[in-house]
């Protein structure tokens, strides 16, 4: 990235006033600016060309949508610990790129076969399947390039931990493995049944691992010690589980217009959800329990953890 591209709005925010949605939007704008620069036309070190169609499709997949909750968690965790904000922004952007790649691939006909994402055509509908596959591939590799770039994180030990953590959270033992378990639960590879423990394991991998790593990335950038990292990992795991349960509830109750994508497909496809296992009331009670675990995990930071507490509440109260 050029020196001009490296200059972007600071992620510093005014003193927290309890207006969580304003804070989330403020950080999302900063993340968006970073991603716009990252996906611009300028060649970067070691690149031969940036094919225009690929870049256009990557921007379609990444820009102009999403709450940016994952980079928000990385940035706010680092901020709570007094970590370098530019490093947290880059680490969070790396996680967001992995998340966006996963959405592009999840939407493909061979996977969830969705036509809409964030209120606009999915990449394979706006372009074609081959382009969508390559967009996912390019976003995944770009995520690791950003995470490993020393201009954002000068400490090589922290860079190595960030890359390792992102790989584990997004790979076969995390997001990708969880996606395979989710497909298996549909009966694609033969008869399959999943009890509550199986469902929790699948969700912890498919959705929870990346969300938990977002918090861990902020902890790494913020220089958390072993006990602090353990507490923040508890927070991240509970938050990831709460996010998925809330998502399952929204899939049953929210309109496609509110969600910006088709709803009700999980039930139709026979996907394993805690709503099926616990019922809607039981799922809501589970969300409350998980929020309490999140708040307990970050209690040692007192008022400095208020944003993270509010993030947990937002996760289960969101309408889209």
């Amino acid at each position: 990235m050029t020196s001009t591209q490296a200059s972007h709005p600071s992620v510093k925010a005014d003193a927290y006033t309890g207006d969580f949605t304003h804070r989330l939007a403020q950080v999302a704008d900063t993340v968006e600016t970073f991603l716009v620069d990252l996906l611009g036309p300028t060649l970067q070190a070691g690149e031969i060309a940036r094919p225009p169609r690929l870049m256009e499709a990557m921007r379609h997949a990444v820009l102009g949508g999403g709450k940016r909750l994952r980079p928000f968690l990385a940035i706010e965790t680092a901020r709570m610990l007094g970590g370098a904000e530019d490093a947290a922004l880059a680490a969070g952007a790396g996680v967001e790129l992995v998340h966006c790649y996963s959405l592009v691939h999840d939407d493909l006909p061979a996977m969830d076969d969705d036509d809409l994402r964030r209120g606009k055509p999915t990449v394979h509908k706006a372009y074609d399947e081959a382009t969508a596959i390559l967009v996912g591939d390019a976003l995944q590799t770009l995520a690791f390039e950003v995470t490993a770039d020393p201009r954002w994180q000068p400490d090589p030990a922290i860079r190595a931990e960030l890359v390792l953590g992102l790989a584990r959270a997004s790979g076969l033992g995390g997001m990708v493995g969880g996606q395979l378990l989710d497909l298996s639960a549909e009966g694609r590879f033969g008869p399959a049944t999943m009890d509550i423990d199986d469902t929790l394991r699948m969700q912890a991998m498919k959705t929870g691992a990346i969300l938990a790593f977002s918090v861990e990335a902020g902890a790494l950038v913020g220089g958390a010690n072993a006990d602090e990292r353990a507490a923040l990992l508890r927070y991240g795991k509970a938050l990831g589980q709460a996010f998925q349960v809330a998502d399952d509830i929204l899939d049953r109750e929210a309109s496609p217009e509110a969600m910006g994508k088709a709803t009700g497909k999980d039930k139709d496809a026979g996907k394993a959800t805690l709503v099926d296992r616990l019922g809607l009331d039981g799922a809501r009670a589970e969300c409350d329990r998980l929020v309490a675990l999140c708040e307990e995990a970050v209690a040692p930071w007192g008022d400095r953890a208020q944003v993270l507490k509010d993030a947990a509440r937002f996760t289960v109260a969101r309408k889209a």
Side-chain angles (χ1 to χ4, degrees):
M1 151 175 334
T2 65
S3 58
T4 56
Q5 286 178 303
S7 299
H8 51 76
S10 170
V11 295
K12 290 182 178 178
D14 296 334
Y16 187 55
T17 62
D19 187 348
F20 178 80
T21 55
H22 174 74
R23 181 75 153 231
L24 184 64
Q26 184 182 40
V27 173
D29 286 345
T30 302
V31 173
E32 184 82 2
T33 299
F34 186 94
L35 293 171
V36 167
D37 287 346
L38 196 65
L39 296 172
T42 304
L43 285 178
Q44 306 304 305
E47 293 181 349
I48 298 172
R50 288 194 155 199
R53 180 180 178 83
L54 180 61
M55 297 308 302
E56 181 184 316
M58 289 170 72
R59 289 191 290 271
H60 180 91
V62 173
L63 303 178
K67 294 174 284 294
R68 311 301 188 195
L69 180 61
R70 291 153 189 83
F72 178 85
L73 290 168
I75 289 166
E76 291 297 340
T77 301
R79 180 183 280 147
M80 181 183 76
L81 298 168
E85 294 175 339
D86 283 355
L89 173 59
V95 180
E96 184 70 7
L97 290 169
V98 165
H99 173 60
C100 291
Y101 122 69
S102 76
L103 299 182
V104 174
H105 280 189
D106 283 357
D107 290 337
L108 287 167
M111 301 286 277
D112 289 346
D113 193 15
D114 278 311
D115 295 344
L116 284 176
R117 172 69 65 178
R118 295 171 174 169
K120 61 185 181 182
T122 50
V123 176
H124 72 275
K125 285 293 183 180
Y127 297 89
D128 59 83
E129 287 186 42
T131 300
I133 292 169
L134 293 173
V135 163
D137 294 343
L139 292 175
Q140 183 190 43
T141 51
L142 182 60
F144 286 95
E145 181 180 342
V146 172
T147 305
D149 192 333
R151 78 181 68 220
W152 306 117
Q153 175 50 255
D155 188 326
I158 294 177
R159 287 203 309 273
E161 286 201 72
L162 288 169
V163 169
L164 179 61
L166 183 57
R168 286 175 171 167
S170 61
L172 64 91
M175 183 183 70
V176 173
Q179 179 66 44
L180 190 283
L181 293 178
D182 196 24
L183 295 175
S184 298
E186 296 177 14
R188 292 207 189 190
F189 315 119
T193 57
M194 293 185 74
D195 60 20
I196 288 179
D197 288 342
D198 294 329
T199 303
L200 287 172
R201 183 182 304 109
M202 179 271 291
Q203 292 182 342
M205 294 169 66
K206 180 184 175 184
T207 304
I210 283 289
L211 276 163
F213 174 72
S214 302
V215 178
E216 186 178 6
L220 285 166
V221 171
N225 62 36
D227 289 342
E228 290 171 333
R229 285 181 64 177
L232 288 166
L233 182 58
R234 290 196 301 274
Y235 170 90
K237 286 183 175 180
L239 183 75
Q241 189 177 339
F243 183 95
Q244 184 60 62
V245 178
D247 219 41
D248 293 342
I249 294 171
L250 286 170
D251 187 68
R252 296 294 178 87
E253 296 190 327
S255 68
E257 292 76 19
M259 293 293 285
K261 62 179 181 178
T263 57
K265 293 188 67 176
D266 288 353
K267 189 176 192 305
D268 295 341
K271 287 182 178 290
T273 72
L274 283 189
V275 174
D276 293 321
R277 306 298 184 260
L278 302 176
L280 281 168
D281 288 343
R284 291 190 185 97
E286 179 65 3
C287 283
D288 291 340
R289 185 186 73 85
L290 291 165
V291 169
L293 288 178
C294 288
E295 293 180 339
E296 178 185 352
V298 296
W301 285 276
D303 291 344
R304 286 189 293 153
Q306 190 59 51
V307 179
L308 294 184
K309 292 176 184 177
D310 287 349
R313 298 188 192 109
F314 168 81
T315 293
V316 301
R318 63 198 167 91
K319 302 301 180 184

